[in-house]
Amino acid sequence: MTEDIKIVNTLHFGDMEVEPSHIFDFEGGMLGFEDLKEFVLVSHEDYDPFKWLISIDNPDIGFPMLNPFFLDEGYKAGKDIDLEKEVVFCVVTLGGVGEIMTANLKAPIIMNISQNKGRQIILTSDKYSPTYEIKIK
Amino acid sequence: MLVLSRKIGEQITIGNSVKVTVLSFDRGIVRLGIDAPKSISVHRKEVHDKIVEVNQKAVKTETKALKSVIASGQIQINENIPKNNIEAPAINFSANKES
């Protein structure tokens, strides 16, 4: 087990010990980042309740994410999603302090925890915005 | 670029599994019907491009700014919502454990 742990030097979290069980296979990559196939999910106190999706192929790349249900209780990430096996996140952007924070509800990330597979899908519904504003008081 | 002329009702195939049918043409708008397996995602290009743009912006998110906005407690989200039933395996950092 321990010999399978690899150290990945990440931009956001420095050296990170990655076990095989942490790695999610994104066969199609993320949209615009099709070459990146392996990601890990990172939780850090300073960012709670946000998470980071960090690329193993290019550890300088990380996507901040949030549980979309925190923003929309009735959020539907497509009818094929099995919430017993799959976890849903949305990608967050924040250019800087004072700028608008957005969540991409149009293209959620689906992570299947029984297969350690992930994908970013685009929902057909026009109900969800790719730049949903997260209100800051 | 391959250019094909088609009449209304005619089709083209892409690979073995994708079929595109020209449904109608009216006032400069072409309506296309697309049959593709679920594994192939089909979207208007501008929608796809927008998602790419948002992803590119996301990876440039200022970590300092994000941390300070979170620390301010001013983000209006509702964490008390019944959410995913399960937790994904994550690498966990706490501030004191950080290398």
Side-chain angles (χ1 to χ4, degrees):
Chain A
M1 185 72 192
T2 36
E3 62 266 30
D4 294 333
I5 294 180
K6 58 178 169 183
I7 307 291
V8 179
N9 184 250
T10 68
L11 177 69
H12 300 81
F13 299 100
D15 280 347
M16 212 164 63
E17 286 181 12
V18 177
E19 292 173 26
S21 64
H22 291 136
I23 297 175
F24 281 81
D25 238 341
F26 280 64
E27 274 169 29
M30 288 281 286
L31 290 162
F33 298 84
E34 282 76 9
D35 296 344
L36 307 183
K37 305 289 191 193
E38 291 189 332
F39 288 88
V40 291
L41 185 66
V42 180
S43 277
H44 187 295
E45 266 183 1
D46 290 349
Y47 295 105
D48 187 61
F50 293 79
K51 313 265 189 205
W52 285 85
L53 188 68
I54 303 285
S55 164
I56 297 299
D57 305 286
N58 179 356
D60 287 347
I61 298 285
F63 297 87
M65 308 193 298
L66 194 60
N67 182 330
F69 300 100
F70 291 165
L71 302 168
D72 179 350
E73 201 175 340
Y75 184 70
K76 296 253 185 319
K79 46 181 180 300
D80 300 329
I81 307 302
D82 179 357
L83 290 180
E84 299 290 326
K85 295 197 185 95
E86 292 172 311
V87 180
V88 181
F89 291 104
C90 58
V91 172
V92 170
T93 75
L94 178 65
V97 175
E99 289 192 34
I100 291 175
M101 181 185 276
T102 71
N104 186 346
L105 296 181
K106 177 80 175 167
I109 292 166
I110 316 293
M111 296 171 76
N112 183 312
I113 65 160
S114 54
Q115 298 172 346
N116 269 50
K117 281 189 176 172
R119 62 194 195 278
Q120 185 174 31
I121 60 170
I122 304 178
L123 301 178
T124 331
S125 160
D126 287 332
K127 204 167 119 192
Y128 297 120
S129 166
T131 52
Y132 175 91
E133 183 180 348
I134 302 174
K135 295 273 191 321
I136 298 169
K137 271 179 235 165
Chain B
M1 186 193 284
L2 171 68
V3 179
L4 301 169
S5 300
R6 302 275 61 201
K7 291 178 184 153
I8 287 164
E10 289 183 337
Q11 298 182 308
I12 62 166
T13 60
I14 301 171
N16 293 326
S17 56
V18 180
K19 257 189 316 187
V20 181
T21 311
V22 181
L23 297 176
S24 67
F25 177 68
D26 185 30
R27 277 164 276 183
I29 294 173
V30 183
R31 286 173 67 83
L32 303 172
I34 296 140
D35 284 306
K38 262 203 294 199
S39 56
I40 294 182
S41 67
V42 179
H43 296 280
R44 293 183 177 91
K45 180 160 187 302
E46 59 272 26
V47 173
H48 178 273
D49 290 352
K50 180 70 190 175
I51 307 301
V52 169
E53 183 195 314
V54 173
N55 276 351
Q56 282 165 348
K57 190 171 175 204
V59 301
K60 293 192 193 109
T61 291
E62 274 242 19
T63 51
K64 260 194 201 152
L66 183 56
K67 272 189 204 174
S68 77
V69 174
I70 292 167
S72 75
Q74 307 258 289
I75 304 175
Q76 299 195 331
I77 53 176
N78 183 0
E79 287 182 62
N80 302 318
I81 276 171
K83 32 167 207 290
N84 299 357
N85 298 323
I86 46 164
E87 285 268 341
I91 297 174
N92 289 288
F93 282 87
S94 59
N96 52 10
K97 190 189 130 188
E98 197 177 350
S99 47

